[in-house]
Amino acid sequence: MTSRERLLTAIHRGTPDRVPIGPYTLGRLDFDAPFTREFIRAVDPLVDTGCGGNMIWGQSAPFEKLPLEHVRDQVVEVIVLHTPKGNLLRKTRRTKIMTSQTEFFCKTPEDAEKVLSVPFTPPSFNLKEYFRQRESVGDEGLVLIGIPDGICWVAELYSPEDFSMLWIDAPDVMRKLVRTAADRINAATEELAKSGVEAFRIVGGEYASVQLGPTAFEELVVEPDAELCDIIRKNGAVSYFHNHGPVTRYYDAFRRIGMDALDPLEAPPWGDCDLAEAKRRIGSDICMVGNLDDMEILEKLPWEEIEPIARERLSAGGPDAFIFGGTASGTYTEIGARNFMRLVPLAEEMVGRWV
């Protein structure tokens, strides 16, 4: 099988010739470097790219960048959102090694009405980069377009604290924002699928599962995201769902969403996923992607310590409906990449060993 065939077979809950070794993106590797091409050929990469348009804000959101503020060794980017009901301001602080948002557009439930007052014009999409990457990767991997879900928009508008308080103080406002975003995302995703996009990676669910809890997850993620996955499926494309953090109590909810694949199913101490238990509970309905930490294990441990962990995870997750990957961080270096490559012979050795 080619890498593309191997990945799609697993995503459709089949049994490929071996478990795919599927790192998320190419990490910090130089795309044009000779080693990167060697890496792509050796493993089964999941490559993420954009859609060339903003499906939530559309074409009409009136953003204005103000002159940059300089604070010590840092630069602060200031953006104003002009709305019919008043202005909103966002600040992002940048240093040589990191970027963090220090002020969010929305602080109160009333600010949501300002955002919703902005006239919406559906976006136009430029898929040139998506098709370029598909051609470049070819049969050596799978290229997905990353899209948000409805709650992802709310989490970008509010700080983590204000986001959590919004669900407590003004749940109807939260519902309205999620529904507005979901309707726009659904329409845009259907257009993209009809334009030839074959795989979508959906992000955002963790904002509810980690910060708000099961009740909010059911209402703000399961219901709208099930619609989104249904649209993707009806248009012949693949839905790949991303959800960091503890996930064990959400397995039944994931099944109701109906995604084709789920990452990163993090093991303790970073998450709570026991891969063997996950296999028993969702492995026949959802392709599991994970759960070998690329930051803390593949990047930091010697191979002598990595190998027994990897063998145990391969045994628990395979042979069907499983892609052996990392934490979907996209931050691994050549060290992690070389250890991903060393997982391939292990996957080949495991063929035929599952009972």
Side-chain angles (χ1 to χ4, degrees):
M1 282 184 166
T2 65
S3 288
R4 173 186 165 79
E5 291 170 337
R6 192 173 292 123
L7 288 164
L8 287 174
T9 297
I11 287 171
H12 290 300
R13 277 78 76 197
T15 303
D17 59 342
R18 65 161 171 79
V19 170
I21 306 301
Y24 168 68
T25 80
L26 301 177
R28 301 297 186 187
L29 303 181
D30 178 356
F31 188 84
D32 297 316
F35 170 73
T36 306
R37 299 310 306 177
E38 177 187 352
F39 175 65
I40 292 173
R41 287 192 296 270
V43 298
D44 311 295
L46 296 154
V47 180
D48 187 84
T49 189
C51 61
N54 193 314
M55 56 177 58
I56 295 179
W57 289 108
Q59 300 184 57
S60 57
F63 296 109
E64 176 191 3
K65 287 188 177 182
L66 299 182
L68 297 178
E69 298 177 2
H70 293 268
V71 182
R72 296 181 183 175
D73 296 330
Q74 304 173 39
V75 173
V76 178
E77 177 187 74
V78 183
I79 295 179
V80 176
L81 173 62
H82 299 283
T83 87
K85 294 188 176 182
N87 293 340
L88 298 169
L89 185 140
R90 183 179 74 190
K91 290 186 177 181
T92 303
R93 182 167 291 188
R94 305 180 189 280
T95 71
K96 292 181 179 179
I97 60 172
M98 68 172 291
T99 298
S100 64
Q101 200 163 309
T102 57
E103 183 172 341
F104 290 72
F105 279 132
C106 296
K107 288 83 174 173
T108 68
E110 291 72 28
D111 285 339
E113 291 304 319
K114 295 180 182 180
V115 171
L116 292 168
S117 73
V118 176
F120 176 73
T121 302
S124 58
F125 297 109
N126 181 353
L127 292 173
K128 181 178 180 181
E129 179 61 18
Y130 167 73
F131 286 113
R132 185 193 72 80
Q133 291 209 31
R134 256 179 60 172
E135 182 177 359
S136 177
V137 172
D139 289 331
E140 294 175 336
L142 182 66
V143 180
L144 308 97
I145 278 189
I147 62 174
D149 65 1
I151 201 165
C152 190
W153 189 42
V154 190
E156 291 174 353
L157 291 172
Y158 287 86
S159 71
E161 180 181 357
D162 291 335
F163 169 80
S164 299
M165 293 306 299
L166 185 67
W167 179 241
I168 295 173
D169 295 335
D172 286 344
V173 174
M174 177 80 85
R175 294 183 185 102
K176 188 174 182 181
L177 285 169
V178 170
R179 185 69 263 167
T180 298
D183 289 343
R184 296 175 184 180
I185 293 164
N186 288 349
T189 301
E190 184 157 29
E191 179 183 340
L192 290 169
K194 289 180 177 177
S195 298
V197 176
E198 64 176 355
F200 295 87
R201 186 171 185 266
I202 305 165
V203 300
E206 64 203 50
Y207 291 116
S209 65
V210 174
Q211 292 178 239
L212 304 182
T215 300
F217 191 83
E218 186 70 33
E219 186 172 345
L220 303 176
V221 179
V222 173
E223 293 179 18
D225 289 14
E227 296 174 12
L228 178 59
C229 288
D230 191 50
I231 288 169
I232 292 171
R233 180 169 51 254
K234 287 180 177 178
N235 284 278
V238 165
S239 58
Y240 179 119
F241 198 87
H242 171 70
N243 206 110
H244 273 302
V247 293
T248 299
R249 62 178 173 175
Y250 296 104
Y251 288 154
D252 291 339
F254 290 139
R255 187 183 289 108
R256 288 195 298 277
I257 291 172
M259 74 283 287
D260 292 307
L262 170 68
D263 82 12
L265 292 165
E266 292 156 301
W270 307 282
D272 68 348
C273 175
D274 177 277
L275 203 57
E277 179 189 3
K279 186 71 175 182
R280 289 192 299 270
R281 293 182 58 183
I282 62 173
S284 61
D285 299 312
I286 300 170
C287 173
M288 305 186 303
V289 187
N291 73 340
L292 190 66
D293 194 295
D294 46 26
M295 297 180 289
E296 301 298 330
I297 294 180
L298 292 178
E299 277 284 322
K300 294 183 179 180
L301 298 185
W303 178 250
E304 292 73 20
E305 294 183 36
I306 295 172
E307 184 176 2
I309 300 172
R311 287 185 182 278
E312 184 273 327
R313 304 285 169 82
L314 274 167
S315 179
D320 62 330
F322 178 53
I323 297 171
F324 201 16
T327 54
S329 67
T331 60
Y332 62 87
T333 67
E334 185 173 333
I335 295 171
R338 290 192 180 278
N339 282 325
F340 269 121
M341 293 167 71
R342 297 178 83 168
L343 298 176
V344 174
L346 297 187
E348 292 173 341
E349 288 177 25
M350 290 295 295
V351 174
R353 296 190 183 184
W354 285 271
V355 178

